[in-house]
Amino acid sequence: LVLSLVGWELVKNMIENLLSVLKVTLFFWGIIFFTLWMIQKYSKSLWMTLVKNHVTVRYFYIFPVSVTWYTHLLNKPMQKVASIWKPLLDLWFGSGVIFGLMAMVGSVAILIWNLVNMMTATGTDTGGQILTPVLPGVNVPNSQLPYYFLALLGSGVIHELGHGIAALNENIPVNGFGGFLMLIYPGAFVDIALNDFSSLESKKILKIVCAGVWHNLLVALLAYLLILVGPTVSSPIYFSPDGVVVTHVAEVFAIYILIY
C-alpha cells in the first residue's frame, strides 16, 4: 500500500511539473507573440530595426514556435582567433578530428549497449542502463530548469564557435553567427559558405565538422575541474560539516512522500 501510494504520488508530481513547464512555456510565447504584434502594429521603426538585425519569428499556424537572431558582430573576433599561428591551430583541430572519430565509435557502442540493456531489463531493474533521457519536469526539477537551459545555450555557443573558427582557419568564409529559441530549447548556429566548404578535401572537412564536439569536450573537462577544485577554492568563505548533509529533497523523488 505504501509503495502504491508513493508510486501514485510520484506520477502525480511528475504530471504537475510537466503542466507547470507547459504553462510557463505558453505564457512566455504568448508574451513574445503579443510584444511582436504590438511592435509591428504601432512601431514601424522598431520593427524595421528588428528586421535589419535579422530577428525572425517562425510560426506554426497562429503561434510562434521559434525566435532566431542573426548577427555579423562575431565575424571579426572569430577571424582574429583564427589568425593565430596556423600550425598551432592545425594541430589543435587535428586533435579534434582524432577525438571526434573516437567519440563517434564510442557513442554508437554506448547507444547499442544501452538499448540492449533496456530491452533485456526486467521489472524495475534498469539492467545497467548507462544513459538516461533528461526530461524537464520529470527527472529535472523545475527549479533547476534555468541552469539546465543556460548550460544548453552555453554549450551550443561554444560548439558553433568551434565550427566557425575551424572554418576560418581553412580559409572558408563565415557569413554570420546566430542564436535561436525553439519552443523551450535554446541553441546557436554558424553560417559558413557551403560551396567553399564542400570543395575542401576530406581531412579539412573533418577538422571543421569535429571542431564543435572537440570544444564541448574541453568545456566539460573544465567544468569537471571546477567541480573538483571548487570546494577547496571557496572553503575560506564557508563551513562544511563532516559527512553528507541533505538540505532539500525535490518533490519528484519518491522519498519525498516518506519524509514530508
Side-chain angles (χ1 to χ4, degrees), residues 79-232:
Q79 184 64 61
K80 288 182 178 180
V81 175
S83 64
I84 298 174
W85 194 40
K86 184 172 175 56
L88 178 62
L89 285 181
D90 286 339
L91 178 62
W92 175 259
F93 291 117
S95 301
V97 171
I98 297 174
F99 169 75
L101 295 176
M102 293 175 58
M104 180 178 64
V105 176
S107 61
V108 172
I110 290 175
L111 288 173
I112 294 175
W113 175 268
N114 202 69
L115 179 62
V116 171
N117 285 334
M118 289 176 61
M119 295 178 64
T120 56
T122 58
T124 57
D125 179 24
T126 59
Q129 183 176 336
I130 301 175
L131 301 177
T132 301
V134 177
L135 301 175
V138 177
N139 54 6
V140 178
N142 292 344
S143 60
Q144 301 298 316
L145 290 182
Y147 307 106
Y148 173 69
F149 289 123
L150 184 62
L152 280 180
L153 178 60
S155 62
V157 169
I158 296 298
H159 182 100
E160 296 303 326
L161 285 176
H163 289 311
I165 295 171
L168 290 169
N169 184 60
E170 300 298 338
N171 299 316
I172 302 299
V174 171
N175 301 322
F177 188 88
F180 64 87
L181 178 65
M182 184 175 295
L183 197 56
I184 62 173
Y185 176 77
F189 64 91
V190 63
D191 179 18
I192 66 175
L194 294 180
N195 291 334
D196 295 326
F197 172 76
S198 59
S199 64
L200 288 175
E201 57 183 85
S202 299
K203 182 179 179 180
K204 293 183 177 180
I205 290 178
L206 280 174
K207 286 184 178 180
I208 299 174
V209 171
C210 296
V213 68
W214 172 235
H215 284 188
N216 283 143
L217 170 69
L218 297 177
V219 171
L221 292 176
L222 178 61
Y224 182 68
L225 179 62
L226 290 175
I227 291 175
L228 292 179
V229 303
T232 302

